[in-house]
């Protein structure tokens, strides 16, 4: 239709172009469409006509200006799109300008279309040279946002850059980390899939395979793609495919049953009405352009009389295809003549289906965007009226400039372009659900708005039906999620989504699923059995409440009681010869020191404190030295007593009671000095030992100074060895009751106990170190009291006839 300003339109009304054999010897014939007519593409072209007629009837937009149109069929083919682009560009040729047509009504001011990214790229390169703006309704390739290559390109459909990000967020939202991907081998599919794979990688999604194909590929190629889908382990398949390509792939998949697959579709095919016939794809989820309402469009589409149809070859073809008849003057001879009364209202066809106006509204908005740009060029507002000039010599370049600035709303839908010529990206999340009749219907289940803040773009407002009618979200992972207490170990050479779940090492936990690493518990904590929580480590020390502590404490108290009872017996019989003969003063002092030795072991039991740690070894060291000093004094008394019996000996004068007391005090004082220096320089202190056991804390007393500790023990050992040597020397001295023999045996036990104590003490872990030390104290103490005092108590209590001076002085009895 002619007009003051002409708008071009390019739509895929057919899907195929007749193949032309080039022999390079003759001029090739014109390109011709083949195959059945695409009712949806025809509806898009008719929507453009409807919008132009609506604008021409408007008193607010371009008043007094009549828009015309030139609409072409690109047949979804690049060669045909190039051919159409040159036809649109020829509107600038001089032959169009005559003296009668000074308004340049034949000039194309802008182009709407085409229905695909690759054909749009071809058209943009050609008409861009003439600064003719192009507003596409279906070219979504993100590459077209590059203004350096496509300065004249605009679109009213969102870029695939936003759709790819939305699809990646959708896959991530439902927890799918192992997916397959197929794409059209075209600019739309390749660029869209590249954007999706980039977004999916950032979301941590792994792709098992990515396959490409095109509808003109041999069937073997399509079969190979279908076989890959059938053999794959991923349940979810993301398809960035044009509707024409997807139709061929799904037809191939329908020939041979495949495992259930959850399809995630791009807007190109997921809302295409022809695709809904494949019921095995029920449950498909994808993004579509928002559904809309265009008042008056349906009546316009159905207002086709035979006269109007006969004037258009395309409408004629569509009429004859829809009603299976032929119009008069038609080339079709194998059909009956149409009656002319066919009812469009009853026709079920994508052309007449206005229940899902999505891309149709995009076409409608594209026409209005161009009209607003032309309006801003040729019209001026004066005194509340709009004046438009038909003869101002408008160039497409001016329309191109004003297209960048358009900002309006039409039927409640906002239209504007950003710096890249893209609109605000908004999508509907659609789901293929089976109706009661068994057919598939499109159901809107959510929204996506890229203009909203990060994390708020995605919203689902109703339940989704999944593959095979399931209500549970299907699982598509390479490896199941690693539970708490484990971490992921990747397989070499495989995607990050394929891994083994390995339990955390000892002492480490993971408290989240799919943890990439485990982290250690703090020093005072240890993992539970599941290794998902840190619990405080149990604190271990030798306590009075445990069996071992009770046994040792009882033995200690029992030993002290035994020493006290022995002292009582000796006190009651202090005038008896056997008590007087064995230096009763040293005997009582020895029993007192043994009582302290038994009781000092109690300081080793219980939780270590600052005072108990300092008291333990000082009390032990001093009392034991006091004990050994008494034994040493008794041994020296025996030696001196027998030396005094020799003629002319005056030894006992030099080792009387006073000298004996001084000897004991001197030896003890040395130990007191050692212990005092130890406590002043580096005393023992309580500490938590984390090294012996990893899973529990040993509460113990640190040595403070190792030199001080071994000096105390070494001094005790030195006195014990000295006492042992003297006792051995006196063991064969004549007497009926030579105490040196019993002292020798007691010191032999004492030395044996403490010699074995050293390796046992060093090698015993935790609280058993303390137990070994207590055992050594008790064993040596019992050894002394039993070996030295038990024989005497036996004679006092059970053999009183031997407790006489005569018996003791009888040297002939053995």
């Amino acid at each position: 239709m002619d007009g003051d300003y002409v708008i071009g339109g390019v739509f895929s009304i057919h899907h195929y172009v007749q193949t032309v054999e080039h022999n390079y010897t003759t001029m090739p014939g014109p390109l011709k469409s083949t195959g059945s007519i695409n009712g949806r593409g025809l509806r898009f072209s008719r929507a453009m006509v409807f919008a132009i007629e609506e604008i021409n009837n408007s008193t607010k937009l371009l008043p007094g200006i009549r828009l015309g149109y030139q609409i072409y069929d690109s047949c979804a083919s690049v060669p045909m799109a190039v051919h159409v682009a040159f036809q649109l560009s020829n509107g600038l040729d001089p032959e169009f300008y005559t003296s009668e047509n000074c308004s340049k009504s034949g000039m194309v001011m802008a182009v709407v279309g085409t229905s695909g990214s690759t054909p749009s790229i071809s058209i943009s390169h050609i008409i861009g040279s003439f600064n003719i703006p192009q507003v596409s309704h279906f070219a979504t390739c993100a590459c077209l946002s590059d203004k350096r290559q496509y300065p004249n390109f605009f679109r009213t459909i969102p870029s695939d850059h936003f759709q790819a990000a939305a699809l990646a967020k959708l896959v991530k939202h439902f927890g799918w980390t192992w997916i397959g991907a197929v794409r059209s081998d075209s600019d739309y599919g390749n660029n869209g899939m590249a954007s999706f794979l980039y977004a999916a990688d950032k979301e941590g999604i792994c792709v098992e395979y990515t396959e490409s194909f095109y509808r003109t590929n041999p069937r073997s190629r399509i079969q190979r793609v279908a076989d890959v889908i059938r053999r794959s382990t991923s349940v979810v398949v993301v398809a960035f495919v044009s509707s024409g390509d997807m139709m061929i792939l799904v037809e191939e998949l329908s020939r041979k049953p495949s495992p259930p697959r959850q399809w995630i579709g791009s807007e190109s095919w997921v809302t295409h009405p022809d695709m809904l016939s494949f019921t095995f794809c029920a449950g498909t989820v994808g993004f579509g352009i928002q559904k809309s309402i265009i008042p008056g469009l349906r009546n316009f589409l159905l207002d086709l009389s035979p006269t109007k149809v006969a004037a258009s070859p395309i409408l004629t073809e569509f009429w004859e295809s829809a009603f299976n008849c032929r119009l008069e003057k038609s080339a079709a001879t194998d059909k009956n003549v149409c009656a002319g009364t066919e009812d469009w209202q009853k026709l079920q066809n994508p052309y007449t289906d206005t229940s899902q106006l999505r891309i149709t509204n995009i076409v409608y908005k594209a026409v209005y965007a161009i009209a607003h740009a032309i309006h801003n060029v040729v019209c001026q507002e004066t005194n509340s009226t709009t004046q438009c000039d038909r003869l101002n010599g408008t160039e497409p370049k001016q329309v191109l400039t004003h297209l960048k600035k358009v900002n309006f709303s039409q039927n409640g839908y906002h239209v504007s372009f950003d710096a890249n010529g893209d609109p605000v990206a908004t999508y509907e999340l659609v789901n293929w659900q089976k109706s009661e009749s068994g057919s598939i219907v499109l159901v809107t289940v959510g929204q996506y708005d890229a203009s909203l803040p990060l994390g708020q773009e995605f919203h689902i407002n109703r339940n989704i039906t999944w593959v095979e009618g399931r209500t549970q979200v299907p699982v598509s992972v390479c490896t199941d999620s690693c539970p708490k207490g484990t971490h992921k170990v990747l397989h070499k050479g495989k995607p990050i989504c394929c891994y083994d779940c390995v339990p955390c090492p000892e002492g480490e936990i993971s408290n989240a699923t799919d943890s990439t690493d485990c982290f250690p518990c703090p020093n005072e904590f240890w993992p539970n059995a599941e290794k998902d929580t840190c619990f405080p480590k149990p604190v271990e020390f030798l306590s009075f409440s445990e069996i071992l502590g009770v046994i040792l404490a009882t033995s200690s108290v029992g030993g002290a009681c035994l020493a006290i009872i022995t002292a009582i017996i000796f006190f009651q019989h202090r005038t008896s010869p056997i008590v007087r003969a064995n230096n009763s003063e040293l005997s009582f002092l020895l029993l007192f020191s043994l009582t302290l030795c038994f009781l000092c072991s109690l300081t080793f039991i219980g939780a270590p404190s600052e005072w108990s740690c300092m008291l333990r070894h000082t009390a032990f060291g001093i009392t034991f030295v006091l004990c050994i000093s008494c034994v040493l004094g008794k041994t020296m008394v025996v030696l001196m007593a027998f030396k005094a019996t020799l003629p002319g000996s005056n030894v006992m004068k030099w080792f009387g009671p006073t000298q004996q007391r001084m000897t004991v005090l001197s030896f003890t004082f040395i130990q007191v000095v050692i212990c005092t220096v130890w406590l002043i320089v580096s005393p023992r202190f309580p500490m938590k030992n984390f090294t012996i056991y990893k899973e529990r804390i040993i509460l113990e007393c640190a040595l403070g100074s190792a030199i001080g500790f071994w000096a105390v023990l070494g001094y005790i050992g030195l006195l014990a060895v000295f006492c042992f040597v003297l006792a051995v020397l006196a063991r064969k001295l004549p007497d009926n009751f030579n105490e040196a023999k019993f002292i020798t045996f007691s010191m032999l036990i004492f030395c044996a106990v403490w010699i074995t104590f050293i390796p046992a003490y060093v090698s015993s872990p935790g609280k058993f170190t303390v137990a070994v030390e207590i055992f050594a104290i008790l064993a040596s103490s019992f050894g002394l009291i039993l070996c030295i005092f038990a024989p005497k108590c036996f004679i006092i209590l059970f053999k009183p006839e031997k407790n006489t001076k005569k018996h003791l002085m009888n040297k002939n009895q053995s």
Side-chain angles (χ1 to χ4, degrees), residues 495-564:
I496 60 172
C497 302
C498 299
Y499 47 82
D500 289 327
C501 297
V502 178
C504 288
E506 188 180 53
E508 298 184 3
I509 67 163
S510 65
N511 54 7
T513 56
D514 288 333
S515 178
T516 57
D517 202 359
C518 300
F519 56 90
C521 291
N523 268 347
E524 297 191 11
F525 291 81
W526 190 254
N528 58 353
E530 292 76 23
K531 294 187 177 181
D532 59 0
T533 306
C534 290
F535 285 105
K537 290 180 181 178
V539 178
E540 184 180 273
F541 57 89
L542 187 60
S543 68
F544 288 100
S545 59
E546 58 181 300
I547 296 176
L548 182 58
V550 170
I551 293 173
L552 293 176
T554 303
S555 301
S556 176
V557 174
C561 292
L562 181 62
I564 293 172

Side-chain angles (χ1 to χ4, degrees), residues 603-615:
T603 62
F604 289 82
I605 305 175
S609 64
E610 187 175 353
W611 286 104
S612 68
C613 286
M614 290 190 292
L615 182 62

Side-chain angles (χ1 to χ4, degrees), residues 295-572:
L297 177 62
R298 178 171 175 80
N299 293 333
F300 176 80
L301 294 176
L302 299 181
D303 185 19
L304 290 176
S305 64
T307 305
K308 290 182 180 180
V309 172
S312 169
I314 286 182
L315 291 179
T316 299
E317 181 184 351
F318 178 64
W319 182 292
E320 293 178 345
S321 174
F323 296 110
N324 196 26
C325 64
R326 64 182 178 88
L327 295 170
E328 294 183 7
K329 302 180 182 179
S330 170
T333 58
D334 57 341
K335 298 177 181 179
N336 297 323
V337 178
C338 298
T341 57
E342 287 77 9
D343 188 0
W344 286 95
Q345 299 285 347
K346 298 180 180 179
L347 187 64
Q348 298 295 323
N349 187 282
Y351 173 79
T352 61
D353 183 11
T354 57
S355 62
Q356 298 278 344
L357 294 181
R358 300 178 188 273
I359 306 301
T360 305
N361 189 47
I362 300 296
V363 176
Y364 183 76
K365 291 195 292 185
V367 176
Y368 265 90
I370 294 172
H372 275 272
I374 297 174
H375 179 94
N376 294 336
V377 173
V378 303
C379 299
Q380 292 182 349
E381 302 288 339
T382 56
N383 299 327
S384 301
T385 60
T386 303
Q387 298 293 329
C388 298
D389 186 3
R390 298 173 54 194
L391 307 174
N392 68 350
T394 302
E395 296 289 341
K397 187 175 182 179
Q398 296 173 274
V399 179
L400 174 62
T401 302
H402 283 82
L403 255 177
K404 300 174 183 178
K405 306 174 185 177
V406 295
N407 192 341
F408 66 94
S409 293
Q410 183 67 29
N411 290 340
Y413 305 106
H414 182 73
V415 180
S416 64
F417 301 106
D418 62 14
N420 296 323
D422 296 325
V424 175
T426 56
Y427 296 99
E428 285 184 351
L429 182 63
V430 297
N431 181 212
W432 289 16
Q433 298 185 6
K434 278 191 177 183
S435 64
E436 294 180 356
S437 63
S439 61
I440 296 180
V441 293
L442 277 180
V443 179
T444 300
V445 294
Q447 304 287 335
Y448 182 87
D449 189 344
S451 65
L452 294 178
L454 187 66
Q456 301 178 22
E457 314 100 321
F458 196 59
H459 176 66
I460 297 177
N461 52 26
R462 64 180 296 172
N463 293 332
I464 298 176
T465 301
W466 303 103
V467 60
E468 293 187 320
R470 302 172 189 165
T471 55
Q472 296 292 326
V473 179
V475 177
S476 186
V477 294
C478 181
T479 306
D480 290 333
S481 294
C482 286
K484 296 178 181 180
T486 64
H487 68 288
K488 297 192 290 188
V489 176
L490 302 181
H491 291 165
K492 187 176 181 180
K494 289 190 176 182
I496 60 172
C497 302
C498 299
Y499 47 82
D500 289 327
C501 297
V502 178
C504 288
E506 188 180 53
E508 298 184 3
I509 67 163
S510 65
N511 54 7
T513 56
D514 288 333
S515 178
T516 57
D517 202 359
C518 300
F519 56 90
C521 291
N523 268 347
E524 297 191 11
F525 291 81
W526 190 254
N528 58 353
E530 292 76 23
K531 294 187 177 181
D532 59 0
T533 306
C534 290
F535 285 105
K537 290 180 181 178
V539 178
E540 184 180 273
F541 57 89
L542 187 60
S543 68
F544 288 100
S545 59
E546 58 181 300
I547 296 176
L548 182 58
V550 170
I551 293 173
L552 293 176
T554 303
S555 301
S556 176
V557 174
C561 292
L562 181 62
I564 293 172
I565 292 170
T566 303
I568 293 172
I569 294 172
F570 265 53
F571 182 78
Q572 289 178 347

